């Protein structure tokens, strides 16, 4: 269970964080504060938590200043702010991530997953992320990378094809490439698909068919990547003809 603290002088921001944390499996909000000075006093009394979400621009004491006093109280620190110019200061304060307001649940969940995924990145079968599924009334569902067959672009959403079901998430393929751990085991060979290499069923010329029988023709922009992938992995006889 990931134990959380939220600090933000804006009640609507606190309410948003409370909802996102409540909607996320394995996360628990221990306390939230709209007064940073109260937070400073209270956090001195508690044991270490897993993550603190903290605004930067606050009265009396800024989030950057507050972080110096309470950084030892949390394993992870995520700043939340509507001001991009604080990114460098957040880095200097040893923040693990930076959420730029306004942010939706998808960005929140992907950021949390990235921050905590580092602890289990060597255990591939336990690698996962959380995403809200449009098909299940936007409930947050856990998706294991090993179960993914493909990410498919779908209007303003993506379809995540898994072994058991299709998840529709308010993301783009760009989000997938930038924010998910797909550097190994996945490849993009079409503008509308990022596919799991483990779920390629067969290749016929430039036509690729996946284990769920989805098929597509390699896009022109991705032909060189396809050629390299194919020639580097195709086993042929070394006997002289």
């Amino acid at each position: 269970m990931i134990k959380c603290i939220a600090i933000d002088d804006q009640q609507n921001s606190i309410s948003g964080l409370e909802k996102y944390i409540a909607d996320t499996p394995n996360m628990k909000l221990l306390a939230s504060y709209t007064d940073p000075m109260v937070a400073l006093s209270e956090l001195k009394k508690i044991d270490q938590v897993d993550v603190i979400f903290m605004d930067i621009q606050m009265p009396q004491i800024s989030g950057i200043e507050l972080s110096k006093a309470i950084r030892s109280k949390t394993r992870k620190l995520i700043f939340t702010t509507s001001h991009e110019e604080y990114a460098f200061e957040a880095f200097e304060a040893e923040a693990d991530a930076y959420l730029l307001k306004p942010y939706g649940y998808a960005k929140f969940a992907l950021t949390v997953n990235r921050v905590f995924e580092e602890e289990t990145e060597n255990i591939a079968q336990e690698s996962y992320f959380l995403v809200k599924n449009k098909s299940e009334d936007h409930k947050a569902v856990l998706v294991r990378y090993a179960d993914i067959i493909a990410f498919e672009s779908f209007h303003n959403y993506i379809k995540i094809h898994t072994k058991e079901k299709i998840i529709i998430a308010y993301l783009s393929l760009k989000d997938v490439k930038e924010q998910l751990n797909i550097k190994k085991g996945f490849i993009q060979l079409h503008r509308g698909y990022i596919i799991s290499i483990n779920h390629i069923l067969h290749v016929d010329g430039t036509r690729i068919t996946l284990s769920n029988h989805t098929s597509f023709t390699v896009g022109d922009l991705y032909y060189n990547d396809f050629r390299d992938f194919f020639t580097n992995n195709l086993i042929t006889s070394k006997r002289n003809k």
Side-chain angles (χ1 to χ4, degrees):
M1 184 67 69
I2 298 173
K3 298 175 182 178
C4 316
I5 297 288
I7 307 171
D8 197 307
D9 63 306
Q10 299 295 319
Q11 183 57 52
N12 62 332
S13 296
I14 287 289
S15 298
L17 274 170
E18 288 174 343
K19 185 176 188 310
Y20 290 166
I21 292 169
D23 286 347
T24 305
N26 300 321
M27 293 191 80
K28 180 181 180 181
L29 183 65
L30 298 184
S32 59
Y33 304 95
T34 54
D35 186 329
M37 297 306 294
V38 173
L40 177 60
S41 175
E42 291 295 318
L43 288 174
K44 289 180 179 179
K45 306 173 186 176
I46 70 169
D47 294 328
Q48 190 180 64
V49 297
D50 295 304
V51 59
I52 292 178
F53 297 93
M54 184 160 56
D55 189 18
I56 291 180
Q57 272 200 330
M58 295 186 290
Q60 296 180 284
I61 182 171
S62 73
I64 300 294
E65 294 171 317
L66 180 58
S67 70
K68 296 175 184 178
I70 65 172
R71 187 63 183 87
S72 63
K73 291 293 184 175
T74 180
R75 295 197 298 122
K76 305 291 183 180
L77 174 63
I78 299 177
F79 280 120
T80 62
T81 180
S82 55
H83 301 278
E84 291 186 54
E85 63 267 25
Y86 290 119
F88 180 75
E89 291 180 78
F91 174 77
E92 290 288 294
E94 300 182 11
D96 295 279
Y98 186 90
L99 276 169
L100 188 63
K101 298 176 184 177
Y103 54 87
Y105 179 81
K107 180 67 174 177
F108 168 84
L110 290 171
T111 299
V112 169
N113 179 71
R114 177 174 58 80
V115 166
F116 285 95
E117 186 181 39
E118 295 173 0
E119 299 176 7
T120 57
E121 61 182 359
N122 295 322
I123 311 176
Q125 56 268 46
E126 293 184 9
S127 188
Y128 64 89
F129 60 92
L130 295 163
V131 69
K132 282 193 173 181
N133 186 6
K134 184 174 182 288
S135 302
E136 297 181 50
D137 297 323
H138 298 281
K139 292 179 181 177
V141 296
L142 186 146
V143 184
R144 298 189 183 279
Y145 287 101
D147 293 335
I148 297 170
I149 298 170
F151 300 93
E152 178 188 358
S153 180
F154 180 65
H155 303 301
N156 293 325
Y157 296 82
I158 60 168
K159 289 182 179 180
I160 305 174
H161 297 263
T162 73
K163 295 176 183 178
E164 297 182 351
K165 60 185 177 182
I166 296 176
I167 297 163
I168 300 177
Y170 188 63
L171 298 169
S172 66
L173 291 185
K174 182 180 179 182
D175 292 327
V176 170
K177 288 189 289 186
E178 292 180 351
Q179 300 180 52
L180 294 183
N181 183 24
I182 62 165
K183 292 181 176 64
K184 295 181 180 179
F186 291 86
I187 188 170
Q188 183 168 15
L189 298 174
H190 186 280
R191 64 182 298 179
Y193 291 93
I194 295 174
I195 64 173
S196 167
I197 294 170
N198 287 335
H199 286 281
I200 294 176
L201 191 61
H202 56 74
V203 178
D204 183 8
T206 58
R207 189 77 180 171
I208 295 176
T209 301
L210 305 176
S211 61
N212 65 346
H213 301 290
T214 295
S215 64
F216 62 89
T217 300
V218 173
D220 292 341
L221 291 175
Y222 304 93
Y223 180 76
N224 289 339
D225 291 335
F226 166 72
R227 181 192 59 200
D228 293 343
F229 167 74
F230 188 79
T231 56
N232 290 338
N233 291 281
L234 181 65
I235 297 176
T236 57
S237 174
K238 294 184 179 180
R239 293 178 297 176
N240 293 326
K241 293 185 178 180

